[in-house]
C-alpha cells in the first residue's frame, strides 16, 4: 500500500502536468487495496479460529472414544443406514467418480430425498458417518505408515493444521 502512495508522491514531485483526476483514481485504488487487506486479515483470523474449534470438536473428541463406544456407534450407523436405504454405488462408480455422472446425480437425488423424508435420521446418519469414517481412516493411516496403535492421529492433524495456518 505504501508503494501506491510513493508512486503518487513521486508523480506529484517530478511531473509538472500531473492530472488531479489520475490522483483521485490512485487514491480510490489505494483505499480499495487497503480495505481488501483488512478484510483478508479478518477472514484469515476467523478461519483459523473456527477451523481450530471444529477440528478440536471433531477430530480430538472422535479419537477419544473408547473401543466399546466406537463399536456401538458403528452398529448404530449400520442400523440407521439400513433404515434409510442408503444408495450403494458400484465398484466402477467408486473408481471413476464424476461430478455430473448419472451415478453422482442419482446419489445426490437419493441424499436429497432421504433428507426430505427422514430429516432427523439423516442428521444422525451424517453425524455417525463422520465418526465411522474418521476411525477407518485413522486405522488405514496407522497401518500405512507403520505407526504404533496408540498413535494420536488427531494431534497430528491439529499440528498439521496449525502449520498450514501459520
Amino acid at each position: 500500500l505504501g508503494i501506491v502512495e510513493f508512486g503518487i508522491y513521486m508523480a506529484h514531485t517530478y511531473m509538472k502536468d500531473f492530472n488531479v483526476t489520475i490522483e483521485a483514481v490512485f487514491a480510490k485504488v489505494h483505499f480499495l487495496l487497503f480495505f481488501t487487506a483488512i478484510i483478508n486479515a479478518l477472514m484469515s483470523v476467523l478461519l483459523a479460529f473456527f477451523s481450530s474449534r471444529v477440528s478440536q470438536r471433531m477430530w480430538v473428541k472422535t479419537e477419544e472414544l473408547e473401543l466399546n463406544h466406537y463399536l456401538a456407534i458403528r452398529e448404530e450407523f449400520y442400523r440407521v443406514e439400513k433404515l434409510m436405504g442408503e444408495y450403494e454405488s458400484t465398484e466402477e462408480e467408486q473408481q471413476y467418480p464424476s461430478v455430473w455422472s448419472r451415478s453422482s446425480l442419482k446419489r445426490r437425488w437419493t441424499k436429497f430425498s432421504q433428507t426430505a423424508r427422514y430429516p432427523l435420521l439423516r442428521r444422525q446418519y451424517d453425524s455417525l458417518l463422520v465418526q465411522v469414517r474418521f476411525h477407518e481412516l485413522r486405522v488405514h493411516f496407522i497401518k500405512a505408515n507403520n505407526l504404533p496403535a496408540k498413535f494420536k492421529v488427531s494431534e497430528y492433524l491439529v499440528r498439521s493444521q496449525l502449520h498450514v495456518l501459520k
Side-chain angles (χ1 to χ4, degrees):
L1 297 177
I3 294 171
V4 173
E5 286 297 322
F6 180 72
I8 292 173
Y9 172 77
M10 295 301 285
H12 253 308
T13 305
Y14 295 109
M15 290 178 66
K16 302 286 186 222
D17 56 345
F18 185 69
N19 193 346
V20 177
T21 57
I22 294 175
E23 181 180 2
V25 171
F26 273 117
K28 288 180 183 177
V29 169
H30 178 260
F31 284 122
L32 178 69
L33 290 173
F34 176 73
F35 288 126
T36 302
I38 294 293
I39 290 171
N40 185 30
L42 288 174
M43 293 303 290
S44 297
V45 168
L46 288 173
L47 176 70
F49 175 75
F50 285 116
S51 66
S52 66
R53 296 279 307 235
V54 167
S55 64
Q56 179 70 23
R57 190 185 80 225
M58 289 180 71
W59 296 338
V60 176
K61 287 185 178 178
T62 301
E63 191 170 33
E64 289 175 352
L65 290 174
E66 294 179 15
L67 184 61
N68 57 352
H69 287 84
Y70 170 67
L71 293 176
I73 287 172
R74 191 172 190 84
E75 288 175 7
E76 180 69 10
F77 172 75
Y78 288 136
R79 185 188 71 77
V80 170
E81 186 177 43
K82 189 175 181 181
L83 283 174
M84 289 180 24
E86 181 65 24
Y87 170 72
E88 303 263 341
S89 58
T90 65
E91 191 174 316
E92 183 179 330
E93 291 171 354
Q94 291 174 358
Q95 220 172 17
Y96 305 107
S98 172
V99 177
W100 298 109
S101 69
R102 181 176 292 172
S103 62
S104 176
L105 292 175
K106 186 176 180 183
R107 201 171 20 254
R108 288 172 195 245
W109 174 254
T110 302
K111 184 174 181 178
F112 175 74
S113 64
Q114 288 172 346
T115 304
R117 282 189 288 170
Y118 316 110
L120 297 176
L121 201 58
R122 183 67 202 194
R123 186 179 304 153
Q124 182 183 10
Y125 173 81
D126 289 339
S127 174
L128 294 171
L129 179 68
V130 168
Q131 295 174 0
V132 168
R133 294 291 186 252
F134 179 84
H135 278 282
E136 288 174 355
L137 289 172
R138 179 184 177 276
V139 169
H140 178 71
F141 181 79
I142 287 173
K143 285 183 180 179
N145 294 301
N146 295 325
L147 298 169
K150 299 274 184 186
F151 183 77
K152 295 284 187 183
V153 175
S154 61
E155 288 179 15
Y156 172 78
L157 291 172
V158 168
R159 284 186 182 180
S160 299
Q161 181 184 28
L162 289 175
H163 181 72
V164 169
L165 293 175
K166 279 186 184 178

